Amino acid sequence: MSAKLNFTTTIHGADGDRRIDVLGREAWALLELVEAGSRGCTPIDNPAPRWSHYVWLLRGDGFKVETIDESHAGPFAGSHARYVLHDDVTLDGGNLAEWRPNGVRYPAKHEVAA
């Protein structure tokens, strides 16, 4: 995979559907959030250098992403963010099939993309 991840997202809302093209790490973060469903993502479980920036970009595109502060113990005790997507979305197009050849693993409310 040499090309940046890119695809089109459809946000399904009460006022109708809205399509947004996403690219690169923003697309990766959205894909991770969609596949995580209601449990959400943390930088601990889904390592990436700039989760807060990716979420900022997604919010700028109109996605509803909640930030939940969580404490963690251990030798480096502190807190981290858990990000949860609250939009009903579908993903398609671009090079999504190269990144997820078996289809996107949507939460239960969606069918797996072919």
Side-chain angles (χ1 to χ4, degrees), residues 18-55:
R18 190 164 73 102
R19 295 176 61 83
I20 301 166
D21 294 327
V22 289
L23 171 72
R25 285 288 192 160
E26 181 182 7
W28 173 86
L30 180 59
L31 181 56
E32 293 292 308
L33 287 166
V34 166
E35 292 183 339
S38 62
R39 82 177 176 279
C41 294
T42 72
I44 294 170
D45 299 329
N46 306 74
R50 302 275 317 263
W51 259 106
S52 59
H53 181 69
Y54 311 145
V55 169

Side-chain angles (χ1 to χ4, degrees), residues 19-97:
R19 295 176 61 83
I20 301 166
D21 294 327
V22 289
L23 171 72
R25 285 288 192 160
E26 181 182 7
W28 173 86
L30 180 59
L31 181 56
E32 293 292 308
L33 287 166
V34 166
E35 292 183 339
S38 62
R39 82 177 176 279
C41 294
T42 72
I44 294 170
D45 299 329
N46 306 74
R50 302 275 317 263
W51 259 106
S52 59
H53 181 69
Y54 311 145
V55 169
W56 180 79
L57 292 170
L58 291 168
R59 287 176 178 152
D61 285 337
F63 292 95
K64 294 180 211 127
V65 182
E66 177 184 13
T67 301
I68 302 167
D69 289 322
E70 294 182 343
S71 297
H72 59 264
F76 301 101
S79 65
H80 61 268
R82 178 173 299 276
Y83 300 105
V84 181
L85 178 67
H86 288 290
D87 290 303
D88 180 18
V89 301
T90 51
L91 316 176
D92 58 41
N95 62 357
L96 185 59

